[in-house]
Amino acid sequence: MAPATPSGASSADRSSLLLIADFRHGGLAALRRRVAGTVRELGLAGEAAERFLVAVNEAMTNAVRHGGGAGRLTIWVDGGIRCEISDRGTGFAAADYLGRTERPTASATGGMGLWIALQTADRLAIESGPAGTTVTITAQR
């Protein structure tokens, strides 16, 4: 994947980029540790850090499992701590997931990841289409 600037980031925001990493299944654990270190250096700790890390983990896992086997993670500071996870999968109807209020039924193909991310993130946005999906997770500091 080519280097990218977070969706909607202005030139001033580029200076606040903290981490950009491509990932596949075998690299998820190491990247989770890097993300944990990065957000803790920014002062996010305790339950707030754990909730953010759970949401990021679920989005990364979904990118690998449903989005073509790989993804890109970008973390930057823009008011809050933002993490963008993108993939090149075929996309899905994001509104069906963002509007869900009840716990979904797990299935052989999944069904819980985005719901868990929604429950644990301070804020979560999804953009999805035929060229891929981008999940942006925000934690307030």
Side-chain angles (χ1 to χ4, degrees), residues 3-87:
T5 300
S7 298
S10 69
S11 58
D13 295 327
R14 290 184 199 131
S15 65
S16 64
L17 286 173
L18 301 171
L19 176 62
I20 298 175
D22 293 333
F23 60 88
R24 296 188 162 285
H25 181 269
L28 289 178
L31 185 52
R32 280 191 299 264
R33 287 189 295 274
R34 286 179 66 193
V35 171
T38 298
V39 299
R40 288 193 174 100
E41 286 175 13
L42 293 169
L44 195 63
E47 186 176 333
E50 293 306 316
R51 291 173 58 87
F52 182 77
L53 293 169
V54 166
V56 169
N57 180 65
E58 292 297 334
M60 288 192 313
T61 301
N62 276 1
V64 169
R65 189 168 187 191
H66 306 291
R72 167 164 282 189
L73 176 138
T74 307
I75 296 178
W76 74 101
V77 176
D78 178 15
I81 300 168
R82 298 187 191 267
C83 180
E84 183 176 277
I85 297 102
S86 58
D87 66 50

Side-chain angles (χ1 to χ4, degrees), residues 2-3 12 17 21 25 28 30 34-35 51 67 75 87-88 94 97 99 103 109 112-113 115 120-121 125 136 140:
L17 286 173
H25 181 269
L28 289 178
R34 286 179 66 193
V35 171
R51 291 173 58 87
I75 296 178
D87 66 50
R88 293 189 177 195
Y97 293 84
R103 180 182 174 153
T109 60
M112 298 291 290
W115 184 80
T120 57
T136 304
Q140 301 305 317

